[in-house]
Structure formats: structure tokens, C-alpha cells
Amino acid sequence: MPTSTFLRCSFFERDPLVCARDLVGTELVWGKCSGIIVETEAYLTLNDEACHTFTRPSTRAFVERNKPGAIYIYFNYGVHWMLNLLVKGSERSGLILIRGLEPRRGLALMKERRGVEDIRRLCSGPGKLTQALGITDRHHEASICTGARHYLLPRREAVSVVADPRIGISRAKDFPWRFTLRGSEFVSRPARE
């Protein structure tokens, strides 16, 4: 892969809401698998009750010691790993949860890992996509900006993005910080347009 094609850390040095929206339509490459990001959710590191930094000192320490584009992995409800990317360098910092992918490459491997055949069910949720891609805590604090085995490719075409309230949380859930690719059948839940 030519080193000039993947997204650099500077992509993550801006406002988290802008970055979360702009991630929709990029391609996440993870080893032998890849998919177009169709759903993200933004969390601010300050004054956002739904962000881990609000209650977890370890997450605040992660933000402090890592550079933009760092991978933040956590275990949700003791069931699923969750993939987040660190955004910082502007007036506010945040974490972006990758919630859904449209699978593109490595479909057989993803189907085997997930135990499902329906391509729309492979990565249509944050826990599903980490299982399909083989993401665990061993990837915590790696960088998505190195262009090694895990990286992001820029959008290949213009996309239409829908913003609606975040889902799957109980606090600060009314902020319209969930971003989806309009009309995608690969999102975890259709947007409320």
C-alpha cells in the first residue's frame, strides 16, 4: 500500500463531531478484512456524561498520554469489544465509536468469525464489527495512523450523512452525535430522519 493513501493523524486533530461525520464513507482496513464505515458516534472527553472520561480515571489517563488516532478498546457489558478512535488537538477532544461497516474485503473470514452468512449482519453494530474483524484489547493504544495492518483509507466518493441521537446509552443520549450513511442497510439501527 502506498504510504500516501491512508489517513494521517492530522485527520484526528480537529473537532470530534466534524471528525465523526467525516469518518463515514472512509474505509477501515484491518488485516485481511476491510469495510466502509457507515456509522459512528462521537463522545466528548469533557462534560459528556456518556463518555468514559466522565467516570473512568483510566480513560482520562489514556486521552492524556496518547496522540490523535490512538485506538481505545473497551469491553462492553462483559460481552463485546468496542473500537474507538481518539480525536484531540482542537478546542475539544473526544472518542469516536465505530458502530457499523459495510464489509468489502475478507468476507469469508468475517463470516467464519461471526458465524453468520448474511453480509448485512456481519458488521451492523459495534460488537459485531469487532468480532468480524478480530479486534480485542490487544489493539488498545495502537495507532490507526501508521499504515501498518490497521489503517483508514479516505472516501472515494461524496456521501450523504445523517445526524441523529446516540443509541445504546442511558445518559446524554439526546445529543445528535450519531452519524450514519444515508440509506445504508449496514447500520445497526436506521436513522430517525
Side-chain angles (χ1 to χ4, degrees):
M1 177 203 62
T3 57
S4 61
T5 60
F6 63 89
L7 295 181
R8 303 294 182 164
C9 290
S10 58
F11 183 88
F12 300 96
E13 295 174 354
R14 54 202 174 129
D15 188 89
L17 302 183
V18 173
C19 192
R21 176 182 285 275
D22 287 351
L23 277 170
V24 174
T26 64
E27 184 172 359
L28 174 64
V29 177
W30 203 273
K32 297 178 181 179
C33 302
S34 76
I36 301 299
I37 295 177
V38 297
E39 183 178 0
T40 63
E41 252 176 13
Y43 294 86
L44 299 182
T45 56
L46 293 176
N47 304 317
D48 181 354
E49 291 184 53
C51 188
H52 283 182
T53 54
F54 197 79
T55 57
R56 295 183 185 182
S58 61
T59 306
R60 291 192 293 274
F62 167 87
V63 171
E64 186 65 31
R65 74 176 167 264
N66 281 284
K67 295 180 180 178
I71 296 170
Y72 174 68
I73 303 287
Y74 69 91
F75 207 45
N76 194 41
Y77 301 118
V79 179
H80 299 293
W81 297 106
M82 300 291 185
L83 171 64
N84 298 262
L85 303 174
L86 177 61
V87 178
K88 71 183 209 183
S90 71
E91 291 183 15
R92 55 187 184 177
S93 60
L95 294 165
I96 298 174
L97 173 63
I98 308 301
R99 288 195 55 89
L101 296 178
E102 178 180 337
R104 287 291 172 93
R105 194 167 44 92
L107 296 178
L109 182 55
M110 286 192 259
K111 287 178 179 180
E112 180 183 331
R113 287 173 175 157
R114 288 269 301 121
V116 298
E117 286 297 316
D118 185 349
I119 190 173
R120 292 168 301 181
R121 293 182 51 220
L122 286 179
C123 299
S124 58
K128 292 177 183 179
L129 77 86
T130 55
Q131 184 181 20
L133 298 177
I135 296 172
T136 68
D137 62 341
R138 73 181 181 276
H139 302 107
H140 185 65
E141 296 199 54
S143 175
I144 199 73
C145 309
T146 62
R149 291 186 39 80
H150 316 113
Y151 53 91
L152 289 158
L153 297 174
R155 289 177 178 165
R156 294 184 189 150
E157 55 193 43
V159 297
S160 178
V161 178
V162 178
D164 69 340
R166 299 182 291 192
I167 57 177
I169 56 176
S170 58
R171 294 178 295 178
K173 60 185 178 182
D174 295 326
F175 295 124
W177 297 349
R178 174 179 174 246
F179 302 96
T180 57
L181 180 63
R182 187 180 304 276
S184 174
E185 58 185 353
F186 296 92
V187 297
S188 64
R189 187 184 304 169
R192 294 183 283 179
E193 292 189 73

